[in-house]
Amino acid sequence: GIIKAIEELKPEIYIELHSYSAGNKEKLIGPERIDRIGVPSFSLLDNDVLLGSVAPYVRRKYFPIDALCLTFEIQKENPASKEYAARFIARMKECTSRDEFIDFMLKRYPQQAKKAIENFKRFYGLEDEDIRIM
C-alpha cells in the first residue's frame, strides 16, 4: 500500500487528498481541533478546499524533517471544490522544488501558509530561526 510506496520511493514531497462532508467543515477548521484530537486545524483555501498536515505518526515515522507533507481536504458534492483542487494540483506539479511550492503558497495564501509553517515548527519544537520549511 501507501506505506510500502513511501518506504521504497522516499519522496521529498508527499500530498494526500481526502474528501469531507460539508457538515464536518467546522470540526476540521475549528481552533478546538488541537485540544479535541491533538492535531492542528486545517486552513481554509478557496472553494472549501482545506490545507493541513498528514497524520503525525506517518509524518514522524516515514519522512525526514525537511520533507513537505500536506493533506488537502476537498468538499464532497461540491463541484467548485473539486475543480479548484484539480487546478491547484496542476499548479503544484509545475513547481520544481519544495521551496518553490512554499514560496507559491506564501504569495497566494500568506495567512494559511504561515499557519502551516507555525504548526510544522511547533510539531518539531523548532524556533523561527532554526529552519524555514513546512
Side-chain angles (χ1 to χ4, degrees):
I2 292 174
I3 298 300
K4 184 177 179 184
I6 292 168
E7 290 174 332
E8 289 177 8
L9 298 172
K10 298 180 181 16
E12 294 177 11
I13 298 174
Y14 175 73
I15 308 295
E16 289 185 1
L17 300 175
H18 296 243
S19 63
Y20 72 97
S21 298
N24 289 328
K25 181 178 172 181
E26 290 306 315
K27 290 179 186 173
L28 294 168
I29 65 173
E32 73 287 344
R33 188 169 196 256
I34 188 78
D35 297 323
R36 199 176 67 249
I37 62 170
V39 294
S41 60
F42 282 85
S43 293
L44 179 61
L45 302 181
D46 295 321
N47 296 300
D48 293 313
V49 173
L50 310 179
L51 167 67
S53 184
V54 299
Y57 171 79
V58 171
R59 179 68 173 106
R60 280 201 170 104
K61 181 166 174 64
Y62 296 102
F63 292 96
I65 193 170
D66 59 341
L68 179 64
C69 300
L70 301 173
T71 296
F72 289 93
E73 292 275 352
I74 302 161
Q75 193 177 76
K76 293 178 187 175
E77 300 176 6
N78 179 343
S81 186
K82 293 174 187 176
E83 290 168 19
Y84 180 77
R87 288 194 315 272
F88 192 89
I89 292 164
R91 173 62 181 99
M92 286 174 57
K93 291 190 307 187
E94 295 173 8
C95 294
T96 58
S97 70
R98 180 203 61 179
D99 289 343
E100 183 181 344
F101 177 72
I102 292 171
D103 289 341
F104 162 73
M105 287 297 294
L106 285 166
K107 287 177 189 156
R108 179 69 176 92
Y109 298 103
Q111 183 179 355
Q112 295 93 327
K114 287 176 185 170
K115 177 184 172 187
I117 291 168
E118 285 176 22
N119 287 341
F120 171 84
K121 289 179 178 180
R122 195 173 307 118
F123 181 74
Y124 279 105
L126 302 172
E127 298 297 322
D128 282 343
E129 63 277 357
D130 285 343
I131 199 162
R132 184 196 162 262
I133 55 177
M134 210 181 274

